[in-house]
Amino acid sequence: MKQDTVTLAHGAGGAQTSELIDRVFKAHFANPDFTGDDAAVLSLSGKKMAFSTDGFIVSPFEFPGGNIGKLSICGTVNDLACMGAKPKYLSCAFVIEEGFPMDKLEEIAAAMEKTAAEAGVRIVAGDTKVAGKGQVDKIFITTSGVGEIMENANTSGTYAKPGDAIIVTGDVGRHGCTILLARDEFGIEAPDVDSDCAPLWGTVEEMFKTTSDIHVIRDATRGGVGTVLYEIAEQSKVGIKLDSKSVPVADGVKGVCGMLGLEPLYLACEGRLVVFAPAEVAPALVETLRKCPYSKNAAIIGEVIADQVGKVVMTTEIGAQTLLPRPGGELLPRIC
């Protein structure tokens, strides 16, 4: 049944988001360059470029490990990096609520400056709007970016193949858990949990120095790793077999999820990639990743299979096999 209004679930990155895109945006915007990947691949003066845009409405706007400014740079830089593109230029647009503290705005801008410098990208254009009190929740930021795709990079969510190994570049669910705790709605204290928010172009560059035989790279943001796995399974028309024991989860995140009955695979990451590559090159990629600052506990968590198309089959800790539940609904709104 078609819904007549937009719900929070439509922004969660799961099945309802896909339905919204197909029903409204793809129906009206479809063209040969329209993409389901993290960034569009375009040709400009004989060079392959990546182009992406992202809006950020995280609540609270500052959290352990970062703030909305750092997040806004990382989000777009990482989307470009997923296409094997070196980020070059960003624009940013601010919608600021009347009465927002000027010192907090400066902290956000400083975080953006620092993160952009680390990522090697320039902020070259922008826009500022001030909304009346109550018309927007404190501050929203939209960033758009372009990057130059490396000659040896060719990635897409449609390129996963049976026999590929599936790698995550670090422990999962950290950002979503951090935001949940920062809202202080459950009275849970976990001081060792902070956001994994980080710019990952350097990580991707090191992977491609190791091998160009990388099929898919996806930024596991809204909906987390679990949603990414279902997206790739459906885009590439393959099945996925996941080993739950191999999925790295920080102890603090595991404890919070255990108390609240949450699945870490569906909590957002902001500094983790999901990588699909042939099994024979996967160990070398993991070795490379573990030498990088933001992927020291990278791990192989599963494989692509030819059957069970569109499904994610998970081997549990006791050796049983079960289907990972399909993503749906809004687990945690306003996370990015």
Side-chain angles (χ1 to χ4, degrees):
M1 179 188 296
K2 289 185 177 181
Q3 291 178 300
D4 293 328
T5 60
V6 176
T7 70
L8 284 173
H10 286 112
Q16 288 92 334
T17 302
S18 296
E19 291 169 5
L20 175 67
I21 291 170
D22 289 342
R23 176 181 173 181
V24 179
F25 303 122
K26 189 174 181 180
H28 292 280
F29 301 160
N31 62 74
D33 295 314
F34 191 84
T35 183
D37 288 318
D38 283 335
V41 174
L42 308 171
S43 180
L44 186 64
S45 300
K47 293 184 178 181
K48 286 203 306 180
M49 307 294 291
F51 176 59
S52 186
T53 190
D54 211 342
F56 300 87
I57 58 171
V58 62
S59 176
F61 67 85
E62 52 186 357
F63 44 84
N67 61 30
I68 192 173
K70 178 181 181 181
L71 184 63
S72 70
I73 302 299
C74 292
T76 296
V77 163
N78 294 347
D79 282 349
L80 296 172
C82 285
M83 308 311 296
K86 176 179 175 59
K88 302 290 285 186
Y89 305 106
L90 296 181
S91 68
C92 57
F94 295 81
V95 180
I96 309 166
E97 184 182 28
E98 177 189 15
F100 190 78
M102 192 66 74
D103 62 338
K104 291 298 182 182
L105 185 59
E106 289 196 19
E107 288 178 14
I108 289 167
M112 295 175 72
E113 176 188 26
K114 180 179 179 181
T115 309
E118 180 182 351
V121 67
R122 292 182 180 179
I123 301 171
V124 296
D127 181 57
T128 304
K129 296 291 190 296
V130 177
K133 193 74 174 176
Q135 292 181 333
V136 66
D137 186 5
K138 298 180 178 62
I139 183 169
F140 295 166
I141 302 176
T142 297
T143 51
S144 299
V146 294
E148 185 174 347
I149 298 176
M150 294 181 291
E151 290 185 3
N152 62 335
N154 187 26
T155 64
S156 170
T158 62
Y159 291 168
K161 297 177 173 59
D164 280 356
I166 303 169
I167 300 167
V168 291
T169 62
D171 58 286
V172 306
R174 183 181 289 272
H175 178 75
C177 188
T178 299
I179 297 301
L180 185 151
L181 294 174
R183 293 176 184 171
D184 200 24
E185 296 175 354
F186 298 98
I188 299 173
E189 293 187 5
D192 58 332
V193 177
D194 58 1
S195 175
D196 58 352
C197 182
L200 300 177
W201 161 244
T203 302
V204 171
E205 187 177 30
E206 290 302 314
M207 283 198 295
F208 276 101
K209 287 179 181 177
T210 301
T211 178
S212 60
D213 200 1
I214 300 172
H215 297 157
V216 183
I217 307 175
R218 185 62 63 85
D219 193 11
T221 53
R222 289 181 307 170
V225 172
T227 296
V228 166
L229 295 177
Y230 265 106
E231 287 175 350
I232 303 306
E234 291 170 359
Q235 284 182 277
S236 291
K237 309 302 181 190
V238 295
I240 287 175
K241 187 176 180 180
L242 188 66
D243 179 13
S244 64
K245 297 194 303 294
S246 300
V247 179
V249 184
D251 288 341
V253 174
K254 190 178 296 184
V256 172
C257 288
M259 284 188 280
L260 299 178
L262 300 176
E263 170 54 69
L265 284 166
Y266 285 126
L267 288 179
C269 308
E270 288 294 342
R272 302 291 183 254
L273 303 172
V274 182
V275 182
F276 289 62
E280 58 269 23
V281 305
L285 279 173
V286 170
E287 183 179 355
T288 294
L289 286 164
R290 289 178 176 173
K291 295 175 184 177
C292 297
Y294 300 122
S295 51
K296 292 182 178 179
N297 56 351
I300 297 172
I301 63 169
E303 62 179 329
V304 178
I305 56 178
D307 56 355
Q308 301 281 357
V309 172
K311 297 178 181 178
V312 179
V313 181
M314 184 165 63
T315 303
T316 67
E317 293 187 1
I318 61 172
Q321 287 198 349
T322 184
L323 282 177
L324 183 69
R326 285 185 175 272
E330 176 57 280
L331 181 63
L332 190 66
R334 297 284 304 277
I335 55 168
C336 61

